[in-house]
Amino acid sequence: MGLLTGKRALIMGLANDNSIAWGISKAFHAEGAELCFTYVGDAIEKRVRPLAASLGVDFIEPCNVDNDADIDNLMVAIKNRWGTFDIIIHAIGFAKKEELAGDYLNVTREGFRIAMDISVYSLTAVVKAARPLLNNGGSVLTLTYHGSQQVAQNYNVMGVAKAALEASVRYLASDLGPDNIRCNAISAGPIRTLAASGISGFKDLLKNFPDVAPLRRLVTQEDVGNMAMFLCSDLASATTGEIIYVDAGFRNVSVKI
Ligand code: NAD
Ligand code: 0WE
């Protein structure tokens, strides 16, 4: 018996084998969860299919979270295949690349709207659509970053979006709690993924992080996957509305130079 045996998990945000969602998927599979993956676009579909197959998963659906119809269609597909389910992993974040450099105050109205829509509203939209299908004992988990709490150079509008995402977690936890469904976030340290490629200063961040972090190392997709597995298991049955750090202790160190 695995810690997630009998649980069905929707995994949103798998792009390739560097994705945080892949670390979570491997940990979930190892503990017996049944998985469904979503993708956006043909390029990502080509990456997701073989990864899913390597875990014996053939339940793969398209879903662009900027589109209510996609979210509704996803829930119809889940209702048809599973009836009900237990876990939502939301590992999605997006801002236009030009918003992730220079001063925050240069953010545009459209850049702000897109970051908030894809990175924040999507969690609530998915939970709202999924709610009739979610089982008692279920769990919703999203991914955040400490740039929500303290200024992180170049993170800019994503920091503002993550602050709103973390507040959403608390409100969703309050709404879902009476049905015994939990909602939490993992705040991960920097990890080299597609969403971190080509970001100015990211290489330096990865280089310097182990000198400062108490554990003297970077965080891995597996570190995050294991915490996600625990949080979505019944071992975390009274934890909801929380932001759990998987950052090798970095956020507690004040002098970072
Ligand atoms: P990733 O690029 O592997 O995953 C991001 C995913 O978001 C991709 O699968 C992409 O397809 C998806 N996505 C973007 N726009 C979408 C849309 N409109 N509809 C549906 N999906 C969409 O990168 P990652 O680092 O694994 O990111 C996963 C989550 O982890 C994000 O929320 C990110 O903010 C967060 N996070 C990342 C780090 C890091 O350093 N990499 C640290 C803390 C938190
Ligand atoms: O949340 C993230 C990634 C956010 C992200 C990254 C991209 C790159 C490509 C959102 N949208 C896009 N859009 C793109 O076009 N992280 C926590 C990783 C990250 O991103 C940073 C960081 C860190 C850490 C950006 C600037 C500074 C630090």
Side-chain angles (χ1 to χ4, degrees):
M1 272 286 279
L3 288 168
L4 298 181
T5 298
K7 291 198 192 274
R8 294 169 170 144
L10 170 64
I11 312 267
M12 308 183 77
L14 179 60
N16 57 41
D17 63 356
N18 289 319
S19 294
I20 291 175
W22 185 238
I24 295 174
S25 300
K26 286 187 290 179
F28 275 29
H29 178 77
E31 292 297 330
E34 229 183 301
L35 307 180
C36 169
F37 293 107
T38 65
Y39 64 88
V40 47
D42 298 345
I44 292 181
E45 181 183 7
K46 282 202 184 75
R47 302 238 174 223
V48 167
R49 288 206 174 269
L51 288 173
S54 76
L55 300 183
V57 174
D58 70 347
F59 191 9
I60 303 164
E61 296 291 328
C63 186
N64 188 331
V65 293
D66 75 5
N67 185 328
D68 286 332
D70 273 23
I71 295 173
D72 289 342
N73 290 338
L74 171 64
M75 295 311 156
V76 170
I78 292 177
K79 192 178 162 71
N80 289 338
R81 173 104 175 212
W82 282 346
T84 62
F85 71 116
D86 305 280
I87 295 168
I88 299 173
I89 301 298
H90 175 276
I92 293 170
F94 182 79
K96 289 198 286 181
K97 198 162 195 163
E98 55 266 34
E99 304 291 359
L100 301 174
D103 285 355
Y104 163 69
L105 59 75
N106 288 325
V107 67
T108 63
R109 191 180 292 274
E110 181 67 354
F112 192 96
R113 188 195 65 72
I114 290 172
M116 293 298 279
D117 187 19
I118 307 299
S119 311
V120 186
Y121 178 70
S122 64
L123 174 67
T124 300
V126 168
V127 169
K128 189 190 340 189
R131 189 176 192 177
L133 308 182
L134 285 174
N135 289 322
N136 185 303
S139 182
V140 176
L141 183 69
T142 188
L143 273 300
T144 187
Y145 182 63
H146 189 58
S148 62
Q149 305 299 311
Q150 292 187 312
V151 174
Q153 209 174 50
N154 296 325
Y155 199 58
N156 297 357
V157 72
M158 278 305 299
V160 175
K162 292 300 192 188
L165 180 71
E166 292 172 21
S168 305
V169 164
R170 292 184 281 272
Y171 278 89
L172 290 170
S174 173
D175 289 348
L176 300 173
D179 291 332
N180 191 32
I181 299 164
R182 299 176 295 105
C183 181
N184 294 289
I186 290 175
S187 188
I191 301 178
R192 199 179 54 77
T193 64
L194 192 62
S197 64
I199 298 288
S200 55
F202 196 82
K203 270 200 189 120
D204 288 336
L205 182 60
L206 288 182
K207 191 167 86 66
N208 296 326
F209 188 93
D211 294 338
V212 177
L215 293 178
R216 294 290 184 270
R217 66 172 180 87
L218 288 167
V219 164
T220 66
Q221 288 84 340
E222 285 69 30
D223 292 323
V224 177
N226 288 335
M227 178 60 81
M229 190 280 295
F230 166 75
L231 279 175
C232 293
S233 79
D234 295 337
L235 290 179
S237 52
T239 295
T240 194
E242 292 296 327
I243 315 300
I244 309 288
Y245 277 73
V246 179
D247 72 338
F250 187 83
R251 70 120 164 200
N252 294 312
V253 179
S254 67
V255 179
K256 295 190 168 153
I257 332 160

